[in-house]
Amino acid sequence: MNKSQKSQRHFSQRKLLLALLFTASPFFLGMSPAKVGNRYMIKITDQEFRDRQADIRKQGLDYAGVDLKNHFVYLLSRDADLVPLALHAQPVQQIFSSDRPDAKYKTSDQVATKLLGYAASFPDLAAVLPIGKSLEGRDIFALKITGKVQTPNSRPAILFNGMHHAREVMSTEVPLDIADYLLTNYGKDASVTHWVDSTQIYIIPMLNVDGNHLVWTSDSMWRKNARDGVGVDINRNYPFAWNTCNGSSSNRNADDYRGPSPASEPETNALMNFVTQIHPVFDISFHSFGELVIYPYGCGSHTEPGTIVEPIGRAMADLITADDGRSKYTAGIAPDLLYSVDGDDNDWMYHEQHVIAYTIEVNAGSQGFQPKYDRWRDSTVKRVRPAWQYLLNKMSSTLITGTSHASSIRIAEVNGRYSEDIKVNEDGTFHAVVNPGSYELSGPGRHAKIVTVVKTPVHVDL
Ligand code: 0X9
Ligand code: ZN
């Protein structure tokens, strides 16, 4: 059989199996799940998802993503999970154990090679930092981009990270594009040159390097890390509000298994240690899919009133064109847009480290986790650019920057509700992006100072 006949047979077998599953499920009822062994992406209406969420979670079904515009929730299931739930499921895709992502997406080695290549080609602008090792001993790397990178500076920091979830391959492409865009446009584009010379930009394209290995070698839909063959969802393992919101699972086999204890995983620790060290003003964690900009809290049904995280999140969502080429992304908190999430990176960063932190879910449900590279990669990374560039512009507009001997200082809006404790960096500097307005800055044993921020950075020595 030649290659094209083989792929045709593959294709028609798939169609047949899908048809059998959804038109003749009694046929499947008679088969043992072990024999079938395959998985299905299905979609149900968001109403049915809300009505049946408790049963769906109990059955351990994997939440894949949402399509808010068309009111669908995507789930990944095995037929054995699906039949007892009797959902009104529409088939989307059958996943075979032999399936692999489009070969143009990256392995962890290819990511490392790319980052080292950037550092070699742009030695004044980029340096590779190892930030920890995965459970299986793979290196996790960050790229640092800033003007005269070899000389330490106290510029405000921003972090972009990708691939908490192994199957979300586009979430690595976006951070790689950020690096590429900044480095290749430096000295040519005035905005890029300004961003690179006035901030420290840290990029971690692939946090879940072990999970990524599993995606390439055994399961294209693998989400978690590689802990004991069952895996822990790194994005449920952070210690803030761990296991407090019905937003994660204690079942080791579930795809949102939170791990045995808070921050039990080396990948979680690598990111936490790095954030504690660099104190970024902003973070974007890239995921897929759903065309969303999500801001804290994922656990708790609110965002604190008067904060800055919400208006900036909304502004970013309005700046990203969706895969339909017309509409924009949707902004909100996870419990409203998706489901409650506990133990994720954004809530920990926001609450414990005072980072203005976002999750951006790229691509529509119709593209799924692994869109065809040639068709979708470039358009996706290009459409996200205005959002991260918006954050870089914010860092040189409504920024309060200064020095203090304290370990943290308080910034409180004069006649307003906003107040925030900001961490002071080891070198005695601090940075905070705020909404325009007047703020009282205070530190232990220091006289408070009042500053007014309009649209350019304000410097304060406390
Ligand atoms: O569930 C998740 O971890 C993220 N969605 S995904 O489908 N990519 O797995 C959403 C996390 C959102 N959390 C907060 N913004 N706090
Ligand atoms: Zn994800």
Side-chain angles (χ1 to χ4, degrees), residues 386-422:
W388 57 261
Q389 294 177 357
Y390 182 81
L391 297 190
L392 285 165
N393 280 331
K394 277 271 163 202
M395 289 172 76
S396 40
S397 59
T398 52
L399 179 81
I400 300 177
T401 182
T403 61
S404 168
H405 293 294
S407 62
S408 79
I409 55 124
R410 170 152 282 244
I411 297 185
E413 196 179 355
V414 176
N415 303 324
R417 285 185 297 185
Y418 172 84
S419 93
E420 188 85 80
D421 290 318
I422 299 292

Side-chain angles (χ1 to χ4, degrees), residues 139-297:
D139 283 310
I140 303 168
F141 290 116
L143 189 72
K144 174 179 182 174
I145 299 179
T146 191
K148 297 198 175 65
V149 69
Q150 306 304 342
T151 316
N153 66 55
S154 54
R155 297 166 186 160
I158 182 166
L159 174 64
F160 300 108
N161 75 81
M163 199 170 279
H164 269 75
H165 294 140
R167 61 195 176 195
E168 298 167 14
V169 293
M170 196 67 91
S171 76
T172 290
E173 297 297 327
V174 178
L176 285 174
D177 175 67
I178 299 176
D180 206 86
Y181 187 90
L182 293 172
L183 294 170
T184 55
N185 287 301
Y186 182 88
K188 297 179 195 149
D189 175 302
S191 297
V192 171
T193 311
H194 173 69
W195 296 328
V196 171
D197 283 340
S198 60
T199 65
Q200 307 188 60
I201 301 154
Y202 294 94
I203 298 170
I204 305 171
M206 188 183 283
L207 182 68
N208 189 1
V209 284
D210 290 354
N212 176 265
H213 181 71
L214 293 171
V215 160
W216 288 111
T217 53
S218 65
D219 181 355
S220 64
M221 289 292 123
W222 189 261
R223 168 177 164 106
K224 299 184 278 183
N225 72 359
R227 170 75 69 187
D228 301 334
V230 288
V232 169
D233 184 347
I234 304 168
N235 215 30
R236 298 294 182 277
N237 189 243
Y238 290 86
F240 174 72
W242 186 83
N243 183 20
T244 57
C245 270
N246 265 328
S248 59
S249 179
S250 59
N251 173 358
R252 284 158 36 99
N253 295 315
D255 272 284
D256 59 353
Y257 172 49
R258 66 179 79 94
S261 56
S264 57
E265 303 310 296
E267 297 84 0
T268 316
N269 280 281
L271 193 74
M272 287 171 64
N273 291 337
F274 193 60
V275 166
T276 310
Q277 192 191 316
I278 65 169
H279 287 152
V281 173
F282 288 118
D283 163 72
I284 302 179
S285 297
F286 290 101
H287 285 251
S288 72
F289 53 84
E291 308 193 307
L292 306 172
V293 175
I294 313 172
Y295 45 83
Y297 285 98

Side-chain angles (χ1 to χ4, degrees), residues 1-13 103:
M1 206 186 303
N2 69 30
K3 217 173 160 191
S4 106
Q5 280 169 326
K6 213 169 157 184
S7 79
Q8 256 183 17
R9 201 194 64 176
H10 202 207
F11 180 67
S12 56
Q13 270 180 348

Side-chain angles (χ1 to χ4, degrees), residues 102-123:
D102 187 322
K104 289 188 175 152
Y105 288 104
K106 315 275 181 305
T107 64
S108 60
D109 283 348
Q110 288 168 332
V111 170
T113 305
K114 257 203 158 312
L115 299 187
L116 292 165
Y118 286 136
S121 308
F122 302 95

